[in-house]
Amino acid sequence: MEKLSVKCRGNKIELCFNECDNISEALSQLQKKKSFFNGSEVGITYSGIKLSYNDEMNLEKELRLLFGEKAVLEKKKRLSKKQIEYSFREGEKICLVAEKSLRSGEVLESRGDVIVYGDVNPGALIKANGNITVLGALRGVAHIKHTGKVYATYMNPSQIIIGKVCSYNKNTENVGSAVAIAENGEIILQRL
């Protein structure tokens, strides 16, 4: 069974990975099709596998080597166009940037820091491994898995969790622009 099948429609290519453990094996199959697409502007998508951000960047690099600089990996399985997860080098800290307000029921998760350009409304949840920064009103839940700080332009969360320390709205009423930290088993707000 081939590791990869290729579907083409106009200037779009979909790479359909079939139970592929090794992307480089699948990409070697593309060598045969290289001359067909070389030099033309091509939008490339993929399906059948889940890739980390760094794996996706490596895939895009390989595709550009194969098809030229006009090849663009369209990350249809990733975040929306208003959300970008940045990670430039292996081992470098990641930051998820959301350029929108979060509504009730929405969950935003990151393996690193989170920056939200907008409000986090009641019922919305942000989960991060690093710091959370809300450039707007924080009225929802901010959850940092281990250690970090929660910054907000307008701090009025329904809940803040940092590591194993949790604080509900009664302890985190509106204080305006503030930072929340976990200290001595409690959440402490400091005005900015």
Side-chain angles (χ1 to χ4, degrees), residues 84-98:
I84 304 167
E85 193 168 34
Y86 293 97
S87 173
F88 298 106
R89 290 186 198 98
E90 190 68 36
E92 187 173 335
K93 199 160 191 177
I94 294 169
C95 182
L96 173 66
V97 178

Side-chain angles (χ1 to χ4, degrees), residues 74-104:
E74 298 172 357
K75 299 166 182 77
K76 69 174 186 176
K77 302 280 186 202
R78 299 292 300 167
L79 303 166
S80 73
K81 290 180 182 174
K82 296 215 176 240
Q83 301 172 358
I84 304 167
E85 193 168 34
Y86 293 97
S87 173
F88 298 106
R89 290 186 198 98
E90 190 68 36
E92 187 173 335
K93 199 160 191 177
I94 294 169
C95 182
L96 173 66
V97 178
E99 295 178 349
K100 67 175 203 139
S101 292
L102 300 179
R103 293 198 221 146
S104 178

Side-chain angles (χ1 to χ4, degrees), residues 24 61 83 97 99 102 114 162 184 189:
S24 60
K61 183 176 153 185
Q83 301 172 358
V97 178
E99 295 178 349
L102 300 179
V114 172
I162 301 174
N184 298 325
L189 297 181

Side-chain angles (χ1 to χ4, degrees), residues 155-167:
M155 182 76 79
N156 190 14
S158 55
Q159 186 179 43
I160 293 178
I161 304 165
I162 301 174
K164 294 182 179 180
V165 182
C166 180
S167 178

Side-chain angles (χ1 to χ4, degrees), residues 27-124:
L27 289 175
S28 68
Q29 292 179 29
L30 284 176
Q31 288 287 349
K32 301 170 191 168
K33 299 167 178 35
K34 180 181 175 182
S35 60
F36 183 73
F37 299 106
N38 202 14
S40 61
E41 195 167 312
V42 177
I44 302 167
T45 61
Y46 68 89
S47 63
I49 56 171
K50 287 188 177 184
L51 298 176
S52 69
Y53 183 80
N54 287 330
D55 288 340
E56 225 173 48
M57 288 185 63
N58 289 334
L59 176 61
E60 185 168 29
K61 183 176 153 185
E62 291 294 324
L63 292 170
R64 286 191 178 198
L65 287 173
L66 283 173
F67 299 122
E69 288 300 313
K70 292 184 179 181
V72 176
L73 182 63
E74 298 172 357
K75 299 166 182 77
K76 69 174 186 176
K77 302 280 186 202
R78 299 292 300 167
L79 303 166
S80 73
K81 290 180 182 174
K82 296 215 176 240
Q83 301 172 358
I84 304 167
E85 193 168 34
Y86 293 97
S87 173
F88 298 106
R89 290 186 198 98
E90 190 68 36
E92 187 173 335
K93 199 160 191 177
I94 294 169
C95 182
L96 173 66
V97 178
E99 295 178 349
K100 67 175 203 139
S101 292
L102 300 179
R103 293 198 221 146
S104 178
E106 286 188 278
V107 177
L108 192 62
E109 262 188 273
S110 175
R111 296 171 287 150
D113 293 346
V114 172
I115 299 174
V116 177
Y117 289 97
D119 297 335
V120 178
N121 290 306

Side-chain angles (χ1 to χ4, degrees), residues 130-192:
N131 297 323
I132 296 173
T133 303
V134 178
L135 300 172
L138 174 58
R139 291 186 218 109
V141 177
H143 180 188
I144 296 175
K145 293 178 186 169
H146 303 291
T147 60
K149 297 177 182 177
V150 178
Y151 302 89
T153 306
Y154 179 85
M155 182 76 79
N156 190 14
S158 55
Q159 186 179 43
I160 293 178
I161 304 165
I162 301 174
K164 294 182 179 180
V165 182
C166 180
S167 178
Y168 294 94
N169 196 3
K170 63 180 179 169
N171 297 327
T172 56
E173 67 273 352
N174 176 32
V175 293
S177 185
V179 59
I181 59 172
E183 193 172 280
N184 298 325
E186 62 182 347
I187 302 290
I188 298 173
L189 297 181
Q190 299 173 344
R191 291 180 192 263
L192 296 176

